[in-house]
Amino acid sequence: MNSTIKFGQSYHMEVQGQTQPHEIDYPLTCGFSITRTQFASLNAARFSIYGLNALKQKDIYFDRNILQSFSDVHIKFFAGYTSQNPGAGAIKPPLPIIFTGSVHEAYTERSGGEIITQLGAFDGGFAGINSYADGVVWTPKTTYADAMLNVMETMRADGVTPGQVNVKSAIPQPLPFTDFGVFTGNSLEVLRKNLPRGATCFIDNCTVHILGQNDTLIAPTALPVLSSSTGLLDIPKRQFYTVTCSMIFEPRIVIGQLLRLHSTLAPWVNNDIYKVTAFTHAGTISAVESGKVITELTLQSTSAVLR
């Protein structure tokens, strides 16, 4: 996060239809709501695309009542800012990817004079339901991280790749196994049943992670500061160790990253370091209407009592 003025919002979508893949780009109007979290619920997204051509309308449909090949990635959504420096020769970096998942519902409808294609998607939903860890063994001296990574591997065939196991903040620390055994059951449930105190297991952008309460997915270096000059909107709302706040659309936000707050209207939130535990991107990117996109953050103080 920095104080550079953000402008030139754009997006790029890659979605698999019934017979072929499709690419959808700005300047078509796109409304979206994307929620990503490190808690128990699956990440989810809704998209509304205005004015697709007849070929795409005909091919992009999914019935939520019929089980399809959800193990395949059906949708990737990139969004951000095309230029930080307007004028001739402006640099246009690649857009960050802010959602990857499987479409569970898609259809085209008419609303007034608009033809709108609606899509709903989950992140890792097929693996969360259908992956099983039956036959994954542990032996004496198998570390906790190795055991959990072996369970995560059973989700790969269903479209989810193993990520990080970072529980350095857990008290007590999980010990290596001391006997022989085998895991059985749904992979995601096995991971969650073996979490150390305060840790969570979650799927984000089709990658499964285990993260301790005060651990991060990216190495903390210089902590970004969220203030009015870097996009903070309104007054942060504090609830014990949790703070919720909104900001101008920031596609580079990552679950598990650390940041600081600097609010002139709520200075009592300024003294802590916070971890991003959930966020929602919601709004409209359009070349023909004055749309806006807001990022809503849920932050947890790193001084929170271990759960």
Side-chain angles (χ1 to χ4, degrees):
M1 297 173 200
N2 55 54
S3 57
T4 302
I5 296 175
K6 298 176 180 177
F7 55 88
Q9 288 181 355
S10 188
Y11 74 90
H12 171 73
M13 177 186 290
E14 299 172 3
V15 59
Q16 176 64 47
Q18 291 293 330
T19 64
Q20 66 186 71
H22 301 276
E23 294 189 1
I24 302 169
D25 290 282
Y26 181 86
L28 290 181
T29 296
C30 177
F32 59 92
S33 177
I34 296 168
T35 297
R36 291 165 57 185
T37 174
Q38 74 167 58
F39 301 117
S41 59
L42 291 171
N43 295 345
R46 296 288 307 183
F47 302 95
S48 300
I49 310 295
Y50 291 70
L52 285 183
N53 63 39
L55 173 63
K56 289 183 171 63
Q57 292 177 31
K58 179 181 178 181
D59 196 50
I60 300 174
Y61 67 91
F62 288 87
D63 186 342
R64 65 184 306 161
N65 299 310
I66 299 175
L67 183 64
Q68 302 182 63
S69 180
F70 290 126
S71 59
D72 299 327
V73 173
H74 287 155
I75 189 167
K76 293 183 179 180
F77 187 70
F78 306 77
Y81 301 92
T82 57
S83 177
Q84 300 290 350
N85 182 23
I91 298 173
K92 296 185 178 181
L95 297 172
I97 186 166
I98 62 173
F99 185 82
T100 304
S102 299
V103 177
H104 66 85
E105 178 183 55
Y107 56 89
T108 296
E109 62 180 1
R110 178 176 177 177
S111 177
E114 300 282 359
I115 303 297
I116 308 172
T117 301
Q118 306 281 6
L119 300 98
F122 287 125
D123 181 357
F126 188 87
I129 297 171
N130 293 283
S131 296
Y132 283 86
D134 296 347
V136 177
V137 301
W138 72 79
T139 62
K141 298 186 179 180
T142 298
T143 66
Y144 172 78
D146 286 342
M148 295 303 100
L149 287 170
N150 289 339
V151 175
M152 290 177 179
E153 279 290 342
T154 65
M155 304 176 75
R156 189 184 293 274
D158 294 314
V160 170
T161 57
Q164 296 187 37
V165 179
N166 186 352
V167 291
K168 295 184 179 67
S169 67
I171 300 175
Q173 281 285 292
L175 299 174
F177 291 86
T178 58
D179 56 1
F180 294 88
V182 60
F183 292 110
T184 60
N186 176 273
S187 300
L188 199 56
E189 289 303 314
V190 169
L191 294 171
R192 287 174 174 164
K193 286 179 181 177
N194 288 276
L195 291 173
R197 183 183 175 193
T200 57
C201 174
F202 60 99
I203 299 171
D204 187 43
N205 271 350
C206 290
T207 302
V208 59
H209 304 282
I210 291 177
L211 200 59
Q213 181 170 306
N214 290 329
D215 296 302
T216 65
L217 291 181
I218 55 176
T221 53
L223 294 183
V225 177
L226 178 55
S227 66
S228 58
S229 64
T230 58
L232 179 65
L233 303 171
D234 299 325
I235 299 176
K237 302 174 184 65
R238 183 176 65 178
Q239 301 168 347
F240 282 96
Y241 295 109
T242 300
V243 173
T244 58
C245 59
S246 58
M247 67 177 299
I248 296 171
F249 177 47
E250 178 47 75
R252 296 168 295 179
I253 285 285
V254 177
I255 290 294
Q257 80 170 79
L258 299 180
L259 57 79
R260 289 184 180 272
L261 290 174
H262 185 270
S263 171
T264 56
L265 297 177
W268 47 85
V269 303
N270 296 344
N271 297 325
D272 281 340
I273 296 173
Y274 297 94
K275 175 179 163 181
V276 178
T277 57
F279 59 82
T280 296
H281 300 306
T284 300
I285 296 177
S286 174
V288 296
E289 65 178 75
S290 181
K292 66 177 181 180
V293 184
I294 301 297
T295 299
E296 301 280 351
L297 299 173
T298 300
L299 311 174
Q300 180 177 278
S301 169
T302 55
S303 62
V305 176
L306 190 65
R307 297 191 302 273

